[in-house]
């Protein structure tokens, strides 16, 4: 992945959000002709060139001013906007989905795409007020929805979820969903519920999905990743658990312990070939924080063994 420093996608190259400009129509209009615009179709795919690189549209090419385009922020002094293709008379040779972009585009462009896609999804799913049902009017350059009926304000929503590498001695707890490719496994994840701490979410989700009990006080935060599929923030943890026997659940068709060597081999296997015949498991995509927390658990295990 070009230009990536983080071990997972959608983090490097994030824009200066420049919140102070969202209410400054004059400044945004002045920046528009030289601005970069990322265009997404109704399915959230980005317009791309013949070689499937990002099709960067200049504001001057579209003419006028920002209009309904959403201001994303600044990069090296240049303003960037997102525009919905349904509002434009514009075409492109190709359209690229976000997962493909994360694997092949420069990191800052994948992060730009992720931000645009999350905002697009919010706009698509929040057209009416949840309190009175009237239509929303988007203001502050696309970052605020104001109800045309009761004047209540609506802001972009991000759903927090934990993702956790659960260990027991030299073993890692992994699970697989029914629709996954045959050899694909990953760590446990789940959404935070109202009134719940992140550590409580870790313990509850692991117990609900696998029947394994996380030991109190062992959950350690590692890192976070925006995950715009469609609008989550993944919060990565490592935790220790009792030696319970894992079981299947509504979420997972299988859950079991794997040794450190099995995990090491799984990381070495090509994640894109989980449906091919071969030995061992295949672990999460390199673009995801799931792979990062697995690597972190393995590094802790190896460091503990090296000191014995």
């Amino acid at each position: 992945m070009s230009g990536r420093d983080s071990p997972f996608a959608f983090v490097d190259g994030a824009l200066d959000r420049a919140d102070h400009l969202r209410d400054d129509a004059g400044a945004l209009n002045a920046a528009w002709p030289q601005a970069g615009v990322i265009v997404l179709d109704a399915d959230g795919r980005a317009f791309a060139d013949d070689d499937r690189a990002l099709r960067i549209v200049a504001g001057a090419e579209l003419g006028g001013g920002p209009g309904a385009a959403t201001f994303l922020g600044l990069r090296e002094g240049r303003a960037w906007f997102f525009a919905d293709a349904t509002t434009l008379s514009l075409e492109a040779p190709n359209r690229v989905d976000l997962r493909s972009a994360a694997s092949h585009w420069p990191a800052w462009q994948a992060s730009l795409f992720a931000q645009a896609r999350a905002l697009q999804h919010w706009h698509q799913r929040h057209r009416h007020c949840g309190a009175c049902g009237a239509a929303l009017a988007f203001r502050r350059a696309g970052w605020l929805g104001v109800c045309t009926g009761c004047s209540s304000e609506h802001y972009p929503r991000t759903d927090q979820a934990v993702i956790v590498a659960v260990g027991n001695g030299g073993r890692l707890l992994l699970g697989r969903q029914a629709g996954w490719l045959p050899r694909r496994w990953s760590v446990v994840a789940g959404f935070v519920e109202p009134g719940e701490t992140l550590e409580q979410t870790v313990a509850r989700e692991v117990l609900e999905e696998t029947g394994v009990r996380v030991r109190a006080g062992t959950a350690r935060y590692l890192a976070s990743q925006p995950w715009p599929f469609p609008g989550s923030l993944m919060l990565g943890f490592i935790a220790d658990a009792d030696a319970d026997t894992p079981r299947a659940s509504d979420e997972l068709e299988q859950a079991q312990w794997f040794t450190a060597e099995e995990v090491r081999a799984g990381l070495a296997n090509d994640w894109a070939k989980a449906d091919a015949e071969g030995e061992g498991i295949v672990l999460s995509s390199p673009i995801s924080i799931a792979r990062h927390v697995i690597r972190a658990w393995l590094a802790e295990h190896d460091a503990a063994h090296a000191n014995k």
Side-chain angles (χ1 to χ4, degrees):
M1 200 176 306
S2 177
R4 195 182 78 184
D5 295 320
S6 171
F8 43 84
F10 313 131
V11 176
D12 295 322
L15 300 183
D16 171 2
R17 302 289 177 110
D19 176 84
H20 64 286
L21 293 179
R22 294 174 185 171
D23 282 321
D24 193 336
L28 295 181
N29 277 311
W32 178 252
Q34 287 75 43
V37 182
I38 179 171
V39 180
L40 306 187
D41 67 17
D43 295 321
R45 298 173 299 172
F47 277 27
D49 292 332
D50 289 326
D51 59 358
R52 298 182 64 78
L54 174 63
R55 163 93 153 88
I56 299 173
V57 182
E61 182 180 346
L62 298 175
T70 298
F71 174 61
L72 299 176
L74 303 174
R75 183 175 190 268
E76 298 177 351
R78 187 183 191 187
W80 285 86
F81 291 80
F82 143 67
D84 196 308
T86 59
T87 67
L88 305 173
S89 298
L90 190 71
E91 272 300 332
N94 286 295
R95 302 184 184 196
V96 172
D97 67 273
L98 186 51
R99 292 179 189 271
S100 296
S103 298
H104 301 292
W105 288 2
W108 74 268
Q109 292 184 0
S111 294
L112 176 80
F113 187 177
Q115 182 185 352
R117 176 58 184 136
L119 281 165
Q120 181 194 40
H121 183 266
W122 177 62
H123 287 168
Q124 289 173 333
R125 297 299 180 91
H126 294 81
R127 298 181 184 275
H128 295 87
C129 176
C132 75
L136 297 184
F138 291 103
R139 300 177 184 171
R140 297 202 78 235
W143 289 84
L144 170 65
V146 178
C147 177
T148 56
C150 66
S151 299
S152 61
E153 296 184 343
H154 302 259
Y155 294 88
R157 171 176 174 169
T158 297
D159 297 316
Q160 296 81 29
V162 300
I163 185 162
V164 53
V166 178
N168 173 261
R171 304 183 300 170
L172 179 67
L173 179 64
L174 298 174
R176 53 172 285 106
Q177 296 180 14
W180 286 2
L181 295 173
R183 298 164 59 214
R184 178 84 40 96
W185 292 75
S186 191
V187 287
V188 174
F191 287 103
V192 181
E193 292 189 346
E196 193 173 50
T197 68
L198 299 179
E199 293 81 3
Q200 289 167 345
T201 304
V202 166
R204 176 183 56 78
E205 284 289 343
V206 173
L207 183 62
E208 287 178 358
E209 294 191 12
T210 70
V212 172
R213 293 164 295 175
V214 169
R215 294 173 184 161
T218 65
R220 294 97 72 195
Y221 171 77
L222 290 176
S224 63
Q225 180 188 31
W227 192 246
F229 300 104
S232 301
L233 178 65
M234 305 302 296
L235 304 159
F237 284 82
I238 293 179
D240 301 326
D242 293 334
D244 298 319
T245 300
R247 54 159 173 76
S249 64
D250 291 340
E251 295 291 331
L252 301 176
E253 71 167 8
Q254 287 179 270
Q256 71 181 71
W257 296 107
F258 289 87
T259 67
E261 292 313 309
E262 288 173 317
V263 171
R264 197 185 318 279
L267 289 169
N269 287 333
D270 186 345
W271 71 274
K273 296 180 179 178
D275 58 341
E277 291 185 4
E279 295 185 1
I281 60 175
V282 176
L283 296 175
S284 309
S285 162
I287 74 169
S288 73
I289 194 174
R291 196 174 185 91
H292 174 64
V293 299
I294 292 170
R295 287 187 180 279
W297 173 84
L298 187 60
E300 279 195 6
H301 169 272
D302 290 347
H305 262 280
N307 293 327
K308 289 184 180 180

